[in-house]
Amino acid sequence: MKNTGFYPPPPEVAGLVWRRIGRTDLLSVVELAATCFAADGGLHFLVEPESITERFFPDGPRKAIGAFT
């Protein structure tokens, strides 16, 4: 497994690149949430940029990663 510097390391999936995500990725996360909501319903408030920002891009030392194609 390639050392990504993440602990625990993310799963290896062909075609995906794992990297840290930040507020510049908000539009991508909103689009993904909207696609998921359209496919299977879910929680409507998780499609709103403000809600996503609060949950996934909080002010503080937290870090998140995402998989991109």
Side-chain angles (χ1 to χ4, degrees):
M1 177 174 275
K2 185 174 107 177
N3 182 354
T4 60
F6 300 119
Y7 183 80
E12 288 190 35
V13 179
L16 295 182
V17 175
W18 292 90
R19 66 169 175 79
R20 294 197 190 285
I21 61 173
R23 290 180 188 265
T24 58
D25 295 304
L26 179 60
L27 180 59
S28 295
V29 176
V30 169
E31 289 174 355
L32 175 62
T35 299
C36 293
F37 183 75
D40 63 10
L43 304 173
H44 67 87
F45 65 88
L46 287 179
V47 180
E48 299 171 10
E50 297 80 18
S51 184
I52 290 173
T53 298
E54 289 173 7
R55 292 173 185 278
F56 298 102
F57 306 110
D59 294 327
R62 297 185 205 172
K63 296 180 180 145
I65 63 172
F68 294 81
T69 58

